Amino acid sequence: MKKMIALTLTAASLMAGSLIDDAKNAGLKPIPASQTELLKLIDNPKNPITKEKVKLGEKLYMDPRLSRSELISCNFCHNLMEGGDDGVGPSTGHMWRHNPHHLNAPTVYNAVFFGSQFWDGRAKDLEEQAQGPALAHPEMAATKEHIEKVVKSMPEYVKEFKKAYGDNVKITFEKITDTIATFERTLVTPAPYDAFLNGNKEAMTPKQKEGLKTFIQVGCASCHNGVALGGEMNAFNVTGTYKYMSTGDFKGDANGMVKVPTLRNITETAPYFHNGMIWNLKDAIKEMGRIQLGTKISDKQAESIEAFLGSLTGKKPHMMMPMLPASTNETPKPNLN
């Protein structure tokens, strides 16, 4: 009996090893288990990550006073208390207006692994991306001058910038958004899937492993690959037309390319697609099969893939809500218009 159990365990181990190889051959990559290796992936050599910058960036990320109304923070649309998004269809911004293109807010978790930012890929990294929503009228609707005045008006912020960058730091809009991006670079969520690909063959359940096989066999990994399982630009409506394509006017970049959304924490980031029109994950899986792979994904296959996607729900960085500096008489007043 003991020999039979040992043989069964050995067979299971070999099968898991084969699946790991299959996943890596399909272009899937884990978040490194080594902090040293991880830092190589997430750091910005032009603005290296430090504890001081991350702490300051977290405060700025949470501070709604950077917006014109002083009601909308980065966290408003990219809520770190859940999936790193806002959980609605089109994002809502200044004066409670919906995004004019009916665009859905992507998650900020693991965005550091994306090859490009925004649905049309117009920003190359988080530093460039962080500038966009702050100035966009449908979002935070601020100006560079407003944001700089807000930060400079508070002695505590000035002190923290000097601590992070040195006494001669010049507090500019770009320096502020770079600091926010530094914080965002640390928002990495390692999951059971990563532990599995890193060699822990028991990290995923049998159903999740079977789902990974289905995910690869159906062809999902052809677009959802790399560390982010997405994040690169790709053609959309390859073998069919997305059934909600008429909702909103977004058609991709100049070449019709759309950023592939990450599948990490996908169970926490409904609704799905660029315009947030599908709420059920199995429905999203089937629609992707139809329009991207030319495949009719069965209920059984969709359930299997969904089981695998559950292994991508990761451990969020531990953080406490930061206490923000008090406004002063020099702090700009809210503008609700």
Side-chain angles (χ1 to χ4, degrees), residues 1 12 15 26 52 79 94 98 116 120 123 135 207 215 226 239 243 252 267 279-280 292 294 310 330:
M1 179 64 72
M15 288 176 63
E52 292 78 14
N79 190 343
H94 187 62
H98 293 322
S116 54
D120 61 3
L135 304 180
K207 285 187 177 180
F215 180 85
T239 59
K243 61 183 177 181
T267 59
W279 287 83
N280 183 282
Q292 294 299 98
E330 285 72 43

Side-chain angles (χ1 to χ4, degrees), residues 64-81:
R65 292 169 296 184
L66 299 186
S67 69
R68 181 175 180 176
S69 65
E70 303 197 6
L71 293 171
I72 299 174
S73 67
C74 300
N75 196 63
F76 183 85
C77 286
H78 303 283
N79 190 343
L80 300 181
M81 291 178 282

